[in-house]
Amino acid sequence: MAESYDVAIIGGAFSGAATGLLLKRSRPELRVLIVEKAAEFDRKVGESTTEVSSCFMTRVLGLSTYLGHEQLAKQGLRMWFSNDPEQAFEDCVEFGARYNSRLSGFQVDRAKLDEHLLQCAVKEGCEIHRPAKVLECELNGIGANALRLQRGAEAVSVTAKWVVDASGRAALLARKLGHFKPLTEHPINAMWGRFTDVRDWDGAGMAKNFPRYASACRTSRSWATNHLCGLGWWCWIIPLKGGDYSIGLVYDQRLYTPPASGSIAERLRAHFMAHPVGREILGEAKPVEHDMRAFSMLPYFSEKIVGDGWAIVGDAAGFIDPLYSPGLDFCSFTSKGISSLILRSLAGEEITAAAGKYNDDYRFCFRAWFEAIYRDKYYYLGDAELMAAAFLLDVSSYHLGPVRQVYSDPATQFEAFPFEGIPGRVARRMLMFYNRRLSVLARKKIEAGTYGDRNSSWRLLVGGFVPDASLVKLLRQGLFRWWRAEVRALFLRRPPQPLPEAKPARAAS
């Protein structure tokens, strides 16, 4: 006989566990099944949370105590730029916060976080089949869905009023229904792994060797997400609880080709050794064996994420770019929004119109986020002059928009995607415009041979980002830096083109 459930969730990691947890907390009488294929979670890429996903975890899911004890507190985002592989470490340009972060953020080991959240869902009353594989999934509408599972040597049949796909990049339902689409306009690839023996950014040795560097900052650089940036690529260095580091490279295949020979660890090391900051911090770093990954064509999305008795949450719904760590933001919004729609449906409400609006809002938000922040950003990512403007404008807009939104009322605001309404659309247009202009300026600098000409001997250290009126000052600074770059670009000249070589005259026949 088939086991009957109100909701069957495929995937027990962050998004699936969060969705189950929210459903059971709202209506404990619901029968919720989580199907997880792995007996234990493997170590994913070390992940840095934003203020939005941190708000979801602390204020909505109630994980503050766990995060404080078992994961690392994050001290913001830092970016590093150079214009020469042999440049002195202290001459590299640095962006970041001067003081401690004022809103919660965390550097998380996703395997540990996923396991904890799944156990929270089980304690709340969710049932779990693990390890179990979905063999068949029949979507027959609300109340009539059927799954066939392989649980060990046992075949299990399940019926469910709702099926939720939280299978991550596998995107089981999006592929099955034909909604899965790669974002070919943004051709980025990634490789990453874990390393030990990374040099302490705040250690006594660094302070002794680089006193100007040490005295410039009043917070811990070690607990920040540190990014090294270049034309067409960026790298992350993320500390994890226990002492090892997640280290990775993301690159636009139109603009950059990483070292080609050797293992992933050897290729990463060769890349880092060509950057002054990477060479100083990672010169003695050692890779953790069998803990290396690579993905091509990172971005993708689903054209629909909710339908008649089915829904998609988290990475199964889409992924854009890890630069500003938006992955868990989308996991947070979709888990809360989809769980709310399902609760309304199970309460007897007709949600066809609401589901249609939710699909429209998701498509618009995903596209707006890509167009406003990430499209062609890799053209100017390695130029400190242009990225200074983007850093101030991007991060200020994010805090005045999504961060301010969710902190105003965490219980309800995660049910609405960013960029909704007229103010959101106005903000999208503004962000799209300056992002496009900075990309144009980068191309002009590349042609003129001046790309990265200001990647030396200065720092952009701000007091901190809080979603209040103080951000207006940082927005003004970002606008000023952008307009100044526009003025400088007016005087750029393309270098004279060499005359074509004369071809020898052909002998008369």
Side-chain angles (χ1 to χ4, degrees), residues 80 87-93 206-207 209-215 276-277 456-459:
W80 301 86
Q87 185 173 342
F89 172 79
E90 276 196 307
D91 289 340
C92 292
V93 173
M206 293 291 287
N209 293 335
F210 308 109
R212 286 191 293 117
Y213 154 88
S215 62
V277 176
S456 178
S457 303
W458 59 280
R459 301 182 192 280

Side-chain angles (χ1 to χ4, degrees), residues 174-335:
R175 296 178 192 272
K176 174 183 175 66
L177 297 170
H179 299 318
F180 182 91
K181 302 292 179 183
L183 188 63
T184 56
E185 302 152 275
H186 193 47
I188 58 171
N189 302 339
M191 61 178 75
W192 70 89
R194 284 181 177 77
F195 287 74
T196 60
D197 296 333
V198 173
R199 182 162 296 168
D200 185 355
W201 298 79
D202 307 304
M206 293 291 287
K208 179 180 178 181
N209 293 335
F210 308 109
R212 286 191 293 117
Y213 154 88
S215 62
C217 193
R218 306 291 185 269
T219 186
S220 170
R221 291 179 171 101
S222 294
W223 300 143
T225 300
N226 284 277
H227 289 176
L228 315 187
C229 302
L231 173 57
W233 63 268
W234 64 276
C235 298
W236 74 77
I237 304 173
I238 297 177
L240 299 174
K241 187 87 170 184
D244 56 356
Y245 281 71
S246 172
I247 296 173
L249 166 67
V250 182
Y251 60 97
D252 187 321
Q253 59 185 301
R254 298 171 298 181
L255 301 171
Y256 180 76
T257 301
S261 60
S263 64
I264 292 176
E266 290 168 340
R267 295 170 70 193
L268 283 173
R269 182 174 180 81
H271 175 82
F272 277 108
M273 291 305 102
H275 192 285
V277 176
R279 192 163 54 247
E280 187 65 39
I281 299 298
L282 301 170
E284 299 177 0
K286 298 179 179 59
V288 177
E289 277 193 69
H290 311 301
D291 204 355
M292 301 286 155
R293 302 284 181 87
F295 277 135
S296 59
M297 287 306 300
L298 281 182
Y300 60 92
F301 65 99
S302 178
E303 292 184 311
K304 292 180 67 176
I305 62 170
V306 60
D308 184 11
W310 61 268
I312 305 174
V313 296
D315 287 349
F319 184 82
I320 303 178
D321 190 303
L323 177 65
Y324 287 135
S325 304
L328 283 179
D329 286 14
F330 275 99
C331 293
S332 303
F333 283 115
T334 54
S335 294

Side-chain angles (χ1 to χ4, degrees), residues 306 351-363 416-417 420-421:
V306 60
I351 65 163
T352 302
K357 180 180 184 302
Y358 198 76
N359 282 319
D360 292 341
D361 290 345
Y362 174 76
R363 283 193 299 269
F417 288 111
E420 280 197 0

Side-chain angles (χ1 to χ4, degrees), residues 267-444:
R267 295 170 70 193
L268 283 173
R269 182 174 180 81
H271 175 82
F272 277 108
M273 291 305 102
H275 192 285
V277 176
R279 192 163 54 247
E280 187 65 39
I281 299 298
L282 301 170
E284 299 177 0
K286 298 179 179 59
V288 177
E289 277 193 69
H290 311 301
D291 204 355
M292 301 286 155
R293 302 284 181 87
F295 277 135
S296 59
M297 287 306 300
L298 281 182
Y300 60 92
F301 65 99
S302 178
E303 292 184 311
K304 292 180 67 176
I305 62 170
V306 60
D308 184 11
W310 61 268
I312 305 174
V313 296
D315 287 349
F319 184 82
I320 303 178
D321 190 303
L323 177 65
Y324 287 135
S325 304
L328 283 179
D329 286 14
F330 275 99
C331 293
S332 303
F333 283 115
T334 54
S335 294
K336 186 65 168 69
I338 291 297
S339 64
S340 297
L341 283 173
I342 292 175
L343 288 168
R344 290 165 60 183
S345 172
L346 294 177
E349 182 180 341
E350 170 57 52
I351 65 163
T352 302
K357 180 180 184 302
Y358 198 76
N359 282 319
D360 292 341
D361 290 345
Y362 174 76
R363 283 193 299 269
F364 181 83
C365 176
F366 185 94
R367 191 71 195 179
W369 215 303
F370 165 60
E371 296 280 1
I373 302 296
Y374 296 106
R375 179 187 278 279
D376 291 338
K377 199 180 205 78
Y378 285 62
Y379 280 93
Y380 64 88
L381 193 55
D383 187 277
E385 177 190 28
L386 302 180
M387 268 306 296
F391 178 79
L392 291 167
L393 293 170
D394 290 349
V395 181
S396 297
S397 300
Y398 178 73
H399 281 75
L400 285 171
V403 176
R404 189 176 184 133
Q405 169 189 323
V406 298
Y407 270 95
S408 67
D409 184 5
T412 63
Q413 288 302 306
F414 278 100
E415 297 174 12
F417 288 111
F419 295 110
E420 280 197 0
I422 293 176
R425 281 158 171 75
V426 171
R428 166 181 169 264
R429 288 185 177 276
M430 184 189 78
L431 270 64
M432 284 176 59
F433 181 71
Y434 76 70
N435 178 58
R436 185 168 62 248
R437 285 302 307 161
L438 291 172
S439 177
V440 169
L441 296 179
R443 289 177 170 91
K444 288 184 176 181

